[in-house]
Amino acid sequence: MAKNKEAKNLDTSTEEKIIQAASKVFTQKGYVATRTRDIAEESGINLALLNYYFRSKEKLFQLIMAEKLQLLFSVILPIVNNDDLTLEEKMETLVENYINLLVDNPDLPLFVLGEIKANPEGFKERLQVRKLLQNSSFIRQLRERRPDVEPLQFITSLLGMTLFPFIAKQILFADEKTFKIQMEKRKALIGRWAKMMLET
């Protein structure tokens, strides 16, 4: 009994090591450039053992991508669908939480964008972003406030202001410390700019 429990714990530990390593390697290199050997080396196990746990690179990638998308949307969806928040509160909370998420996961934007570019139809089918947003209280409030503003344009502007610094981080900022300071300032700035867009 004790041996079975120990073996199960070892299996879980090995599987977690593989998943953590795959997450790091896929995020840095993308699906195409990643080899299963890279993941095995990062996780500190041999290739045969990795293949025992995960039969293919594709299967492992799908698991990692599902985790990354869950991470991304766990920040957005609860906010845009929260009927207790005003439109301004939604914008402020969305920007703050999104920036916090990206500061903690700096490789996430380029990884997701790269994979969207490589497989746009697959992402479109999986994410259903347009449908999720169209049915949100955020869009309803936006239409009530500014029926003349196209919601897709507004959302694109809001997310673009939030995402772009992370995509162009190496070009725009001198070092990591400067970047984090500017991102803290940006939380308030984007909220202010978004309100100005609604008022003009």
Side-chain angles (χ1 to χ4, degrees):
M1 184 83 171
K3 282 186 178 179
N4 287 342
K5 188 175 180 182
E6 189 177 319
K8 188 175 180 181
N9 288 340
L10 183 61
D11 283 352
T12 303
S13 173
T14 303
E15 194 170 305
E16 284 173 358
K17 274 185 187 176
I18 294 169
I19 291 170
Q20 286 172 4
S23 179
K24 181 178 179 181
V25 177
F26 278 132
T27 303
Q28 290 175 347
K29 293 187 171 186
Y31 176 75
V32 174
T34 295
R35 303 171 305 159
T36 50
R37 186 174 301 281
D38 299 328
I39 298 169
E41 288 173 4
E42 181 65 34
S43 60
I45 64 167
N46 63 52
L47 189 56
L49 190 57
L50 185 144
N51 289 330
Y52 169 78
Y53 282 95
F54 296 95
R55 299 293 178 193
S56 69
K57 183 175 90 165
E58 172 68 20
K59 183 180 176 184
L60 190 50
F61 177 76
Q62 292 301 331
L63 177 66
I64 299 305
M65 181 53 72
E67 283 186 358
K68 298 295 183 185
L69 294 177
Q70 172 63 31
L71 183 65
L72 204 59
F73 283 93
S74 66
V75 169
I76 297 172
L77 294 181
I79 298 168
V80 298
N81 288 311
N82 188 339
D83 290 325
D84 294 329
L85 297 176
T86 66
L87 184 58
E88 285 80 7
E89 287 170 337
K90 278 187 174 72
M91 292 187 301
E92 289 169 4
T93 308
L94 181 62
V95 168
E96 181 171 359
N97 290 4
Y98 210 37
I99 287 177
N100 288 341
L101 170 71
L102 297 179
V103 166
D104 291 339
N105 300 272
D107 293 322
L108 186 60
L110 284 174
F111 169 65
V112 173
L113 287 174
E115 298 308 322
I116 287 174
K117 183 179 179 184
N119 184 17
E121 288 306 313
F123 269 82
K124 187 177 179 181
E125 185 179 331
R126 179 186 287 178
L127 295 182
Q128 301 289 315
V129 175
R130 194 174 301 162
K131 185 178 178 182
L132 291 168
L133 286 174
Q134 281 175 344
N135 297 324
S136 70
S137 63
F138 182 94
I139 297 298
R140 188 182 67 248
Q141 288 170 317
L142 180 59
R143 284 185 173 135
E144 287 169 0
R145 174 76 67 82
R146 288 294 303 269
D148 58 319
V149 171
E150 170 57 46
L152 181 60
Q153 293 286 1
F154 187 83
I155 288 281
T156 302
S157 297
L158 189 64
L159 292 180
M161 287 190 291
T162 308
L163 275 170
F164 185 75
F166 291 88
I167 295 168
K169 176 180 171 182
Q170 304 300 330
I171 300 167
L172 296 175
F173 302 97
D175 53 51
E176 189 67 22
K177 184 179 178 183
T178 303
F179 173 73
K180 288 185 176 179
I181 290 169
Q182 291 301 321
M183 289 306 97
E184 279 301 313
K185 291 179 180 178
R186 197 163 180 81
K187 291 176 187 177
L189 287 171
I190 295 174
R192 199 180 309 156
W193 295 333
K195 287 176 188 176
M196 289 169 65
M197 284 194 290
L198 289 176
E199 290 166 3
T200 54

